[in-house]
Amino acid sequence: MNILERYHAMEYGPAPEARNEADAWFAARDFGKALFIGGDWKAASGGKTFDTSEPSSGKLLAKVSDANAADIDAAVSAAAKALPKWSASSGYQRAKVLYAIGRAMQRHQRLFAVLETIDNGKPIRESRDIDVPLAIRHFIHHAGWAQALDRDFPGHKGVGVVGQIIPWNFPLLMLAWKIAPALAAGCTVVLKPAEFTPLTAILFAEICERAGVPKGVVNIVQGGPEAGAAIVNHPGIQKIAFTGSSEVGKIIRKATAGSGKKLSLELGGKSAFIVFEDADLDSAVEGLVDGIWFNQGQVCCAGSRLLVQEGIADALIAKVKVRMSRLRVGSPLDKNTDIGPLVDLTQLDRVKGLIAEGARQGAVCWQPDATLPSSGYYHLPTLATGVSPANILAREEVFGPVLATMTFRNTEEAIELANNTRYGLAASVWSENVNLALHVAPQLKAGVVWVNGTNMFDAACGFGGYRESGFGREGGREGMFEYLAAKLPLGPVIKPATSSAQPVEQADGVAIDRTAKLFIGGKQVRPDGNYSIAVATAKGKLAGEVGLGSRKDIRDAVSAARACKSWPEATAYNRSQVLYYLAENLSGRASEFAARLTELTGANAKAARDEVELSIERLFLYAGLADKFEGRVHQPPARAVTLALHEPVGVVGIVAPDNQPLLGFISLVAPALAMGNTVIAVPSERYPLLATDLYQVIEYSDVPAGAINIVTGRSAELAGVLAKHDDVDGLWLFTDAETCAKAEADSIGNLKRVWSGNGRSLDWASEEAAGDALLRRAIEVKNVWVPYGD
C-alpha cells in the first residue's frame, strides 16, 4: 500500500508506548512490603496480600500487601505523631514540600503515566496528557495555598488527621485531589487506594521519600474493605474524604454519624449532555466522545445521558454513529487507542448486565461493527436510543461506555429531563447562543456545568456535586475549606429533653385563652393531630400552649417550602430589603419580645433587652450580606473562565436551640434566608412562644408564603422527620448528641447536608457564630465553565 492509498484508507499502524521502565520498576519493587507507614515500607501485619491484574490481558501484575485494622491503627498513630510539628510549620515550609512533590512527579511523569495505563487500562494518551499533568498541577497550585493560608483563611487551621479513600478510575489524580489540599492545610494523611489500582500510589509514596516529606505526614495503606472500614471508624481520625459510589458513601455517612468527624463525599453521577438545535453539531459530537467514552465511560461525571432537541435528533444521532464507528478499541499502551479495557471482569459483567436490562425495558442498543481484542476486559461503545426516563440506562450509573439518548422539545423540558435524576454532579450544555446556555446552566441541579465543552478540570476550580452525588468540593478555595476548621464558641453539653409531660401551674388572673398555631405556607394552621403542649414560665406557671407538630405537619411545611419559588428566584437585593424590613418590624416590638424572654427564661431585663437588640442586629447583618456574599470568577490555564456561582442549598430544616432562644433562632434562620433558601424551622422546644410571637412580624414584613415555615413540638421527633425527608436538602440542628447522631444517620436517603453542634450549644452572641461561617453552610457552589475564542 503506497502513501496515497494509506491516506485514503486512514489506517493507523501500531504506536505502542515502551513499558521497559515500568517493567524494571516492577522487578525492583517488593510488593509484599507496600504499606508506607511513618516513612517506612512494611508488610501487612496479618501477612495477607491481594492480586492486582492488567485489565488489557488479565495477567497478574503483583501481589500487594493487604492492610488490616492493626495496620490502619499504626498508620493513624504515625499521622498523629507527625501532626503537631507539621501543623505548626510555616506555610512557606509546607509550600516547599508541596512544590518538591510536584517537581519530583514531573521528573517521573512518563513512568507515572505508563504505570497508570498498565494498572487501570485507560489509554496512554489520557494518562500522559490529562491525569498526570493535572495531578502535578494540584500539588504546585496548593503550594500557593499553603503559604497564603493565614491571609485567605483567617481563624482557620487544619482539621487534624485525615482519612482518605480513593477509587480506581483516576488513581493518581484522585490521590492528588485529596493529599495536596490536606498537606497545604497542615493536616496529616492516611490514604487508601483502590484494590484494583494500587501501583501509582506506591510510586507516589516513593516520591514523598525523595521530596523530603516528613515521616508520618503521608501514610499510604493498600487494602480492601477491612482497611477502608478501619479508616472510617478510627477514633483518631478527624476527617474522612471519600470518592466512590453513592451506595458506599451512604454507608460512610451512617458510620460517621455522631462522631464529630468532618466528612466530604464525591460520589456517583448521571450527567446530562444537552444539545440544543442551534449547537455546532460536529463540535458537540467531539465533546460527546470526550464526555462519555473518556476512560471507557468509567467517570463519575460522564455525560451518559444525551438530551437532544427533537429537530436535530436524527442528524446528530447519525453523526454520533459515524464517529463511534471510527473509535479505536485496543491496547491502552497504543497511542492511537481511543477506548481501552474496563478495569476488571466484575465491571465488564456489570456493564453487560445493565445493557441487557435496558434493552429489556425498551431501549434499542447499537454498537459499531468492530472486533475486540481476544484477551482483556473490553467492551464496545454502545448507543441506546428509544430510552424512556424510567429506563435503567437513564437512571443508574453504568460506569461504562454506554450512552442513553432522549429528546426534548423546548428549553423547559430539557431542564426538567436533566434534573430528573437523584444525582447532581455535572452537566454539559451545547448552544451557539451564550445567552441560552447561561440561562440554562444555573437551573441545572449539578455542581459543575460545562458550556460547549466537557470534562474540564483545574486545581483552582472546585468540583463536587448536589444530591446523591455527595457534598463538599475538591479543588480551589472551596476545596481548602474541606480540610480547615474554625474554632466555634462551644457551650455546655445539651441534655436530652424529657418526653413526659410536666405539670404546669395555671397562671394567675383571667385572660382570653390563646393557643399558638403552626406557621405553614404563610398561614397560621392547627397541627394535624390537634394536640398541644403547655409552655411554662421561668416560675413554672402556664405561659401558653403551642401546637404539637407531627410528621404530617413537617410534610405540609416541606411542600410549602418547595412550592415557594419566588424567594430563591428573588434577587439578592430584594431578599436584603425583606430582611431589613423584618429587622425594622422586630425593632418596633422589641420591648414585647424582651418581656417575653424575661417571662420564659428568667433573664433579667437588661439581658433580655440585649438579646433582642442582638437579634435585630443579626437580621441587619444578613440583610446587608445578602447581596455581598458572592461567587468568584476563576481563570484556569485554559481558554475559559469558570464562574463559581453561589446557589441556595434548597429547602433547609432548622432545629433551633434552647439557649438564647430568640437569638439562636434568628442566627440560624436569617443566613439561610439571606442566601435564598426556604426554611422549615423547629423552634426551641422549651421556649417556642418566642418563635410563635414572630408570626405577625413575618406576615407584615413581605416574606413570601412558604419561605419561612415554623413547626413547634418535640425537637428530637421533628428532627428525625426532617432528616428522613428526601425533599429536605439541608439540616441544621443544635440539640442533644443522641438526636444529632440519629439525624446524621437518617439523612442518607438523599445524602442531605447536615450541620450539628454534636450535642453542644453555641454562644450565639459571639462573632464566630455569625457572618461568613454560616453563610458558607447556606450555599452550594456551582462552577460553570465558559470557553472563549475560536
Side-chain angles (χ1 to χ4, degrees):
M1 185 180 285
N2 61 36
I3 293 175
L4 185 59
E5 289 171 331
R6 287 187 182 277
Y7 174 78
H8 287 297
M10 290 299 287
E11 292 178 355
Y12 291 85
E17 173 76 23
R19 58 178 292 166
N20 54 302
E21 291 293 331
D23 289 334
W25 182 81
F26 276 111
R29 154 66 50 194
D30 180 3
F31 291 98
K33 293 183 177 179
L35 307 184
F36 187 65
I37 298 174
D40 297 323
W41 293 98
K42 298 181 179 181
S45 60
K48 292 175 63 177
T49 61
F50 63 87
D51 295 346
T52 184
S53 301
E54 188 170 4
S56 62
S57 66
K59 293 179 180 178
L60 178 70
L61 289 171
K63 290 183 175 291
V64 182
S65 308
D66 189 356
N68 60 20
D71 299 313
I72 299 301
D73 190 57
V76 174
S77 296
K81 182 178 179 181
L83 179 64
K85 187 174 181 180
W86 179 249
S87 61
S89 62
S90 70
Y92 173 53
Q93 290 171 314
R94 295 198 299 274
K96 287 192 295 182
V97 171
L98 283 157
Y99 180 72
I101 291 173
R103 293 290 284 135
M105 290 177 70
Q106 283 180 325
R107 291 193 295 272
H108 298 277
Q109 61 184 356
R110 199 67 169 213
L111 177 57
F112 270 114
V114 174
L115 280 179
E116 195 81 325
T117 288
I118 290 173
D119 202 19
N120 169 274
K122 63 176 61 186
I124 185 65
R125 288 186 292 114
E126 295 176 8
S127 299
R128 180 195 65 199
D129 300 341
I130 300 173
D131 292 30
V132 176
L134 190 51
I136 294 166
R137 157 83 171 144
H138 270 265
F139 282 100
I140 294 177
H141 173 81
H142 282 90
W145 275 128
Q147 203 162 353
L149 206 63
D150 291 339
R151 184 197 70 186
D152 285 75
F153 302 92
H156 289 74
K157 65 176 184 178
V159 71
V161 176
V162 177
Q164 301 175 323
I165 303 172
I166 60 174
W168 45 260
N169 57 337
F170 291 91
L172 182 66
L173 186 54
M174 293 297 101
L175 176 150
W177 281 20
K178 295 285 190 293
I179 291 181
L183 297 192
C187 302
T188 55
V189 168
V190 177
L191 179 137
K192 188 194 88 67
E195 308 97 289
F196 288 154
T197 52
L199 299 182
T200 47
I202 295 172
L203 177 58
F204 176 80
E206 294 177 0
I207 292 293
C208 288
E209 288 184 293
R210 299 172 193 172
V213 178
K215 291 186 175 183
V217 170
V218 173
N219 304 273
I220 295 180
V221 285
Q222 314 292 340
E226 181 184 355
I231 289 174
V232 169
N233 295 315
H234 201 290
I237 288 178
Q238 284 77 51
K239 172 182 168 63
I240 298 294
F242 172 77
T243 296
S245 71
S246 297
E247 292 72 23
V248 176
K250 291 181 178 182
I251 293 170
I252 292 173
R253 165 72 282 186
K254 194 167 186 177
T256 58
S259 66
K261 292 177 182 176
K262 198 167 185 178
L263 180 64
S264 56
L265 300 172
E266 197 265 282
L267 307 175
K270 196 67 185 173
S271 301
F273 191 102
I274 309 170
V275 183
F276 287 95
E277 59 188 2
D278 65 344
D280 180 336
L281 296 192
D282 291 326
S283 295
V285 170
E286 291 308 307
L288 191 59
V289 169
D290 185 35
I292 181 57
W293 292 301
F294 174 54
N295 195 19
Q296 295 71 256
Q298 299 170 130
V299 184
C300 53
C301 55
S304 56
R305 289 187 299 145
L306 171 60
L307 310 181
V308 55
Q309 199 152 13
E310 282 182 353
I312 58 166
D314 291 343
L316 182 65
I317 294 301
K319 287 176 178 287
V320 170
K321 287 183 176 180
V322 170
R323 187 66 178 88
M324 288 174 67
S325 67
R326 293 173 181 168
L327 293 172
R328 295 174 63 85
V329 182
S331 168
L333 283 173
D334 190 326
K335 300 180 187 71
N336 294 321
T337 292
D338 297 303
I339 297 180
L342 299 180
V343 74
D344 186 76
L345 180 60
T346 55
Q347 184 65 15
L348 178 61
D349 289 342
R350 181 179 185 275
V351 172
K352 289 180 177 178
L354 286 168
I355 291 174
E357 179 59 23
R360 192 189 69 77
Q361 294 178 8
V364 177
C365 296
W366 182 90
Q367 296 175 337
D369 184 13
T371 302
L372 293 177
S374 58
S375 62
Y377 313 125
Y378 291 89
H379 195 288
L380 286 172
T382 303
L383 174 67
T385 54
V387 177
S388 72
N391 190 292
I392 194 169
L393 296 179
R395 292 186 292 107
E396 298 300 327
E397 184 179 35
V398 178
F399 227 61
V402 182
L403 177 64
T405 304
M406 293 174 278
T407 60
F408 64 88
R409 288 164 292 185
N410 53 40
T411 302
E412 292 72 23
E413 188 177 9
I415 294 168
E416 186 174 356
L417 279 171
N419 290 336
N420 183 32
T421 173
R422 67 180 188 273
Y423 298 108
L425 189 54
S428 189
V429 180
W430 291 78
S431 171
E432 289 297 282
N433 183 343
V434 71
N435 290 328
L436 173 62
L438 293 180
H439 167 70
V440 170
Q443 297 183 70
L444 300 177
K445 295 298 182 184
V448 180
V449 179
W450 297 294
V451 173
N452 292 333
T454 189
N455 283 339
M456 291 182 279
F457 310 100
D458 186 64
C461 306
F463 180 86
Y466 297 0
R467 298 174 170 174
E468 290 189 38
S469 290
F471 46 78
R473 294 292 181 266
E474 302 199 70
R477 184 180 180 85
E478 308 99 87
M480 282 301 302
F481 274 116
E482 299 298 329
Y483 292 93
L484 295 168
K487 189 175 181 181
L488 286 174
L490 294 174
V493 171
I494 300 173
K495 296 179 180 179
T498 56
S499 58
S500 58
Q502 300 294 321
V504 178
E505 184 180 345
Q506 186 67 36
D508 297 330
V510 177
I512 297 175
D513 181 73
R514 181 183 173 205
T515 300
K517 300 175 183 177
L518 313 181
F519 190 72
I520 297 175
K523 299 177 182 178
Q524 298 185 45
V525 298
R526 291 186 177 87
D528 178 72
N530 280 320
Y531 285 100
S532 61
I533 49 177
V535 179
T537 67
K539 296 179 179 179
K541 294 185 179 295
L542 182 68
E545 293 182 311
V546 296
L548 181 62
S550 66
R551 181 182 62 180
K552 173 64 165 60
D553 299 309
I554 291 291
R555 188 178 72 187
D556 291 344
V558 173
S559 296
R562 186 65 67 184
C564 178
K565 305 297 183 184
S566 60
W567 186 251
E569 292 174 0
T571 65
Y573 175 55
N574 180 251
R575 295 196 300 270
S576 172
Q577 289 178 298
V578 172
L579 289 172
Y580 275 130
Y581 198 20
L582 265 173
E584 176 186 333
N585 289 328
L586 179 59
S587 177
R589 295 175 60 178
S591 298
E592 174 189 335
F593 276 88
R596 178 71 95 175
L597 268 168
T598 297
E599 175 193 22
L600 294 175
T601 68
N604 63 46
K606 182 181 183 306
R609 182 72 187 193
D610 288 347
E611 182 171 341
V612 175
E613 288 300 325
L614 192 48
S615 299
I616 297 166
E617 183 181 331
R618 283 287 155 83
L619 283 169
F620 249 68
L621 171 68
Y622 291 115
L625 292 176
D627 59 356
K628 298 175 184 63
F629 190 73
E630 299 176 304
R632 293 168 175 253
V633 177
H634 299 302
Q635 295 175 281
R639 292 190 305 167
V641 292
T642 307
L643 312 177
L645 306 178
H646 286 183
E647 296 187 338
V649 171
V651 175
V652 176
I654 293 175
V655 182
D658 285 337
N659 69 308
Q660 299 165 291
L662 178 64
L663 178 60
F665 182 89
I666 286 176
S667 293
L668 290 167
V669 170
L673 291 174
M675 293 297 99
N677 299 283
T678 54
V679 171
I680 298 101
V682 178
S684 159
E685 180 175 339
R686 191 173 177 185
Y687 310 117
L689 291 174
L690 286 159
T692 63
D693 286 351
L694 284 170
Y695 292 172
Q696 289 182 332
V697 177
I698 295 169
E699 286 171 333
Y700 54 67
S701 296
D702 294 338
V703 179
I708 308 175
N709 304 275
I710 299 174
V711 180
T712 55
R714 306 295 184 197
S715 294
E717 177 185 338
L718 298 179
V721 177
L722 287 166
K724 292 177 182 177
H725 202 302
D726 287 350
D727 269 345
V728 175
D729 304 300
L731 177 59
W732 303 353
L733 65 165
F734 285 83
T735 182
D736 64 278
E738 183 180 352
T739 299
C740 292
K742 190 173 186 304
E744 289 178 351
D746 288 343
S747 71
I748 63 172
N750 66 342
L751 281 173
K752 61 176 59 68
R753 293 170 51 176
V754 180
W755 173 41
S756 81
N758 292 309
R760 300 284 296 276
S761 61
L762 289 185
D763 177 7
W764 296 102
S766 64
E767 291 183 5
E768 295 88 346
D772 288 8
L774 276 80
L775 291 172
R776 276 195 301 273
R777 299 183 185 280
I779 60 163
E780 295 275 17
V781 180
K782 171 181 286 179
N783 282 273
V784 179
W785 288 71
V786 184
Y788 57 81
D790 295 330

